[in-house]
Amino acid sequence: MWERIRRELLIEYYWWKRHKGKKRRLDSPLGGVGILLISLGIFVLVIIGQIIMAFFRCFVPMVSGAQMAGAYWSVVFLAIKVSFFLLLLLGGLIIILFLKLTGKKR
């Protein structure tokens, strides 16, 4: 029984030793660029969503004082939803491209 446990631990240690150098560290230049690109992409998509909603606000008809708050908050929530869906779209595209480019050739 001890030999079996020892053998399994040696296999795990061998696998870990072999594959530990293949991971990208966050402090590497590639990791830093990745973090920068992701944060910049999120920022740009939020800005794009806000620009779309600015155009939408221009088309909101004149409303009275009591209805102004409802119209304003509906536009704000629509801007948040558009930004969120743009982020999901870009994230999905990045994942698909990553899987296509790093997929194993058969």
Side-chain angles (χ1 to χ4, degrees), residues 2-93:
W2 290 109
E3 284 296 320
R4 181 177 168 200
I5 293 172
R6 183 178 163 271
R7 184 175 57 235
E8 288 179 7
L9 288 175
L10 285 174
I11 291 170
E12 288 294 325
Y13 174 72
Y14 173 75
W15 181 88
W16 175 78
K17 187 177 173 184
R18 185 174 177 192
H19 291 90
K20 73 175 181 174
K22 294 185 180 183
K23 294 182 181 177
R24 299 276 185 209
R25 306 249 188 274
L26 288 179
D27 56 350
S28 69
L30 187 60
V33 170
I35 291 171
L36 185 63
L37 285 176
I38 290 171
S39 59
L40 185 63
I42 290 172
F43 180 72
V44 166
L45 285 178
V46 168
I47 295 297
I48 290 171
Q50 295 301 321
I51 290 170
I52 292 171
M53 291 308 107
F55 287 124
F56 182 73
R57 276 187 220 113
C58 293
F59 296 115
V60 172
M62 293 295 195
V63 292
S64 64
Q67 297 170 345
M68 181 60 80
Y72 175 76
W73 285 110
S74 68
V75 170
V76 167
F77 287 128
L78 188 58
I80 292 170
K81 285 189 275 187
V82 167
S83 297
F84 179 71
F85 286 122
L86 284 172
L87 286 173
L88 285 178
L89 176 69
L90 184 69
L93 288 174

Side-chain angles (χ1 to χ4, degrees), residues 95-106:
I95 290 172
I96 289 171
L97 285 174
F98 178 75
L99 291 175
K100 291 276 186 187
L101 293 176
T102 61
K104 295 180 180 177
K105 307 285 186 217
R106 293 181 185 183

